[in-house]
Amino acid sequence: MAFDGEKRLPKACIVGAGPSGFTTAKRLKDYGIPYDCFEVSDDIGGNWYFNNPNGMSSCYESLHIDTSKWRLAFEDYPIPSHYPDFPHHAQLLEYFHNYVDHFGLRETITFNTGVEHAERRDDGLWSVRLSNGETRVYDVLIVCNGHHWDPRIPTEYPGEFNGYQVHSHNYRDPFEPFDFRDKNVMVVGGGNSAMDISSELSQKPIAKNLYISLRRGIWVMPKYMNGQPADKAVLPRWIPTSIGRKLARKAVKKAIGNMEDYGLPKPDHEPLDGHPSVSGEFLTRVGCGDIKIKGAIERLDGDGVIYKDGSREQLDAIVWATGYNISFPFFTDPALTPDKDNRFDLFKRMVRPGFDNLFFMGLAQPLPTLVNFAEQQSKLVGAYLAGEYALPPADQIDDIIQADNEFHTGHFYNSPRHTIQVDFHAYCADLKKELKRGAARADKQGNVIPVEARAEATV
């Protein structure tokens, strides 16, 4: 890093100390860029902090990450070799704590302090009001508040259900605060949480009957293929993404066969044309009859649900595994508010056009992993704030955003869960090229610091 110690670097505010927040802090620290990191909770970890007192964690007691340890490790801090292929959430949190302590980041994080409001002033600086009542001014704002904490609960179904209801975000175990034993339970949704929770509750000592409601057919990917974690199989980068996707589809179909052979509805899309649901247990539970497949819901009906095929099931509980809204409760600017379908266009999933001192980290749904995604993004942020990278001309950014969106999401079926989808490997390869292009632009401009350091001299 060609850091010129004589240049005054801008001061940043980092919102959140989950993996995206603390790995961004580590990069800024490497560059000598001053920052404050605020975490509303009493410790680091974000979504992976079980029973996080900030209420934003979606961890349940039995959760194991669906990404193998080989793919989720940070570049500069190996994950312990004795960890299993798919670590439990407690092990992943332990790894995070060790990372933070190893790099001396903990003392740079202000805990039990949230960002309540952030606004870019007329002079371009950011005014940040904290939960302790204090207002501070920063040159740069970096948003790392995550996107798995604001539950998306369907409101379109007519009727009422008078049993127990919970979103998967608030599900913790089969016994508390609701005892699912000997109950008729329906899980709604086809994502990873739906796979895990329905597999857990369908065990015979627990639910009396376990139904899963699916609006459409899904592909359920195995955790292992050919005796190895499936996500360890990475094709050479010289193979075009479209060809790699075709080869992967063929391998998946060969490994798991047709979904309808398990009793699931036939998908209307190919494998990898939707965000894959990963489970090592779900298909077996379906095949054993422990999980019963139902179609889309027509309406809620008191102590049960009527489905679009006209059938009805009596239910004691519903688990809504129906995804999340992307929310930034500290912003009031309409330009910084995603639409109702979670669309929020960003340059390289980081920069909102017109806001060159604002970055969004980890705001993506990457395959195979989100854990170390911001670590890759932070390379651009650090280089930019240090004057080693320059953004493309403003009149080119919109075209780049649209091209990237088409590349990463054009093959997916239309759904709010796909609006921030990216292929991790393709994204990182493209980011590496963009960093080289941006370095050439910065060199041509004399490696000026693009965001002037003014905040500390401003009231």
Side-chain angles (χ1 to χ4, degrees):
M1 301 175 187
F3 169 59
D4 182 350
E6 296 182 359
K7 293 182 179 179
R8 289 188 63 232
L9 299 177
K11 187 170 185 179
C13 171
I14 300 174
V15 184
S20 294
F22 64 68
T23 193
T24 298
K26 193 265 181 184
R27 186 75 60 182
L28 297 193
K29 184 178 179 181
D30 288 346
Y31 271 99
I33 297 168
Y35 67 88
D36 291 329
C37 180
F38 297 104
E39 170 54 53
V40 70
S41 188
D42 62 353
D43 216 329
I44 62 102
N47 195 44
W48 292 97
Y49 178 0
F50 180 60
N51 281 335
N52 194 326
N54 67 11
M56 297 181 186
S57 171
S58 299
C59 269
Y60 35 93
E61 183 75 44
S62 61
L63 178 64
H64 287 73
I65 193 166
D66 292 319
T67 305
S68 76
K69 67 178 181 182
W70 314 100
R71 299 301 309 136
L72 61 82
F74 295 115
E75 284 184 350
D76 49 8
Y77 193 73
I79 200 162
S81 60
H82 68 272
Y83 276 17
D85 290 338
F86 298 95
H88 183 255
H89 64 73
Q91 293 173 305
L92 191 57
L93 184 62
E94 177 186 59
Y95 173 60
F96 290 165
H97 277 283
N98 291 341
Y99 177 99
V100 166
D101 292 336
H102 177 78
F103 292 112
L105 303 175
R106 190 174 300 275
E107 55 267 31
T108 73
I109 302 170
T110 303
F111 294 106
N112 297 306
T113 306
V115 171
E116 292 191 340
H117 184 71
E119 184 175 12
R120 192 159 78 161
R121 308 187 326 183
D122 291 342
D123 62 2
L125 296 173
W126 286 95
S127 177
V128 176
R129 188 179 75 239
L130 305 174
S131 58
N132 61 10
E134 182 182 359
T135 296
R136 299 188 187 183
V137 178
Y138 292 93
D139 301 299
V140 180
L141 185 67
I142 304 178
V143 177
C144 307
N145 72 320
H147 56 89
H148 288 123
W149 61 269
D150 184 6
R152 179 184 285 262
I153 301 176
T155 59
E156 68 269 28
Y157 300 124
E160 294 183 358
F161 176 66
N162 54 28
Y164 177 77
Q165 299 183 68
V166 66
H167 192 276
S168 58
H169 172 70
N170 299 113
Y171 173 84
R172 292 296 176 265
D173 64 59
F175 315 113
E176 296 289 343
F178 181 80
D179 191 342
F180 287 89
R181 285 175 291 190
D182 201 34
K183 303 294 196 303
N184 293 320
V185 183
M186 177 179 67
V187 175
V188 183
N192 289 343
S193 294
M195 302 293 101
D196 288 352
I197 294 172
S198 59
S199 295
E200 178 166 88
L201 294 180
S202 68
Q203 297 177 69
K204 285 305 181 184
I206 305 178
K208 181 178 181 180
N209 289 291
L210 192 290
Y211 306 95
I212 186 167
S213 172
L214 299 171
R215 286 183 173 181
R216 66 196 311 149
I218 58 173
W219 289 94
V220 182
M221 307 296 179
K223 285 190 171 183
Y224 286 91
M225 292 179 65
N226 301 317
Q228 295 289 326
D231 60 15
K232 284 187 72 174
V234 179
L235 293 171
R237 289 187 176 181
W238 56 265
I239 294 181
T241 300
S242 58
I243 295 176
R245 192 179 298 127
K246 289 180 181 179
L247 293 173
R249 286 172 180 158
K250 184 176 181 180
V252 167
K253 288 183 176 181
K254 182 179 180 180
I256 62 176
N258 299 317
M259 292 294 97
E260 54 268 35
D261 292 340
Y262 297 88
L264 292 167
K266 183 177 180 179
D268 59 1
H269 58 281
E270 290 292 303
L272 305 180
D273 281 358
H275 185 79
S277 300
V278 179
S279 176
E281 187 176 3
F282 179 79
L283 292 178
T284 298
R285 291 275 174 202
V286 172
C288 292
D290 293 342
I291 296 175
K292 301 173 178 63
I293 307 301
K294 302 296 293 187
I297 297 169
E298 177 66 32
R299 62 187 174 92
L300 308 178
D301 193 42
D303 66 347
V305 165
I306 296 175
Y307 301 89
K308 287 190 178 294
D309 64 2
S311 63
R312 184 186 189 278
E313 298 294 347
Q314 186 275 324
L315 299 172
D316 299 296
I318 297 176
V319 179
W320 299 98
T322 45
Y324 295 86
N325 300 306
I326 296 175
S327 301
F328 311 113
F330 38 82
F331 286 144
T332 54
D333 187 340
L336 301 178
T337 303
D339 71 13
K340 63 181 179 63
D341 292 323
N342 283 344
R343 289 186 179 86
F344 193 60
D345 288 339
L346 300 171
F347 172 73
K348 303 305 175 188
R349 293 302 325 152
M350 283 180 274
V351 182
R352 188 73 168 162
F355 294 83
D356 60 358
N357 61 346
L358 170 65
F359 296 90
F360 295 86
M361 308 300 288
L363 190 58
Q365 191 66 44
L367 292 175
T369 180
L370 178 60
V371 170
N372 53 16
F373 185 73
E375 179 189 37
Q376 303 302 313
Q377 294 183 308
S378 69
K379 296 175 182 178
L380 184 146
V381 176
Y384 173 76
L385 297 179
E388 297 178 5
Y389 168 89
L391 290 166
D395 59 0
Q396 297 179 15
I397 285 184
D398 283 338
D399 289 341
I400 295 171
I401 290 174
Q402 295 311 313
D404 285 350
N405 286 347
E406 177 61 27
F407 175 81
H408 286 291
T409 68
H411 58 288
F412 285 99
Y413 63 82
N414 186 34
S415 170
R417 76 183 302 212
H418 294 146
T419 55
I420 58 172
Q421 193 79 35
V422 298
D423 179 287
F424 184 92
H425 305 294
Y427 178 92
C428 291
D430 174 65
L431 184 64
K432 187 175 181 179
K433 294 177 182 177
E434 174 57 29
L435 284 167
K436 290 182 179 179
R437 291 190 291 263
R441 291 190 294 264
D443 183 66
K444 188 175 181 180
Q445 297 169 12
N447 292 109
V448 297
I449 304 296
V451 180
E452 186 180 354
R454 298 178 291 146
E456 292 189 340
T458 304
V459 178

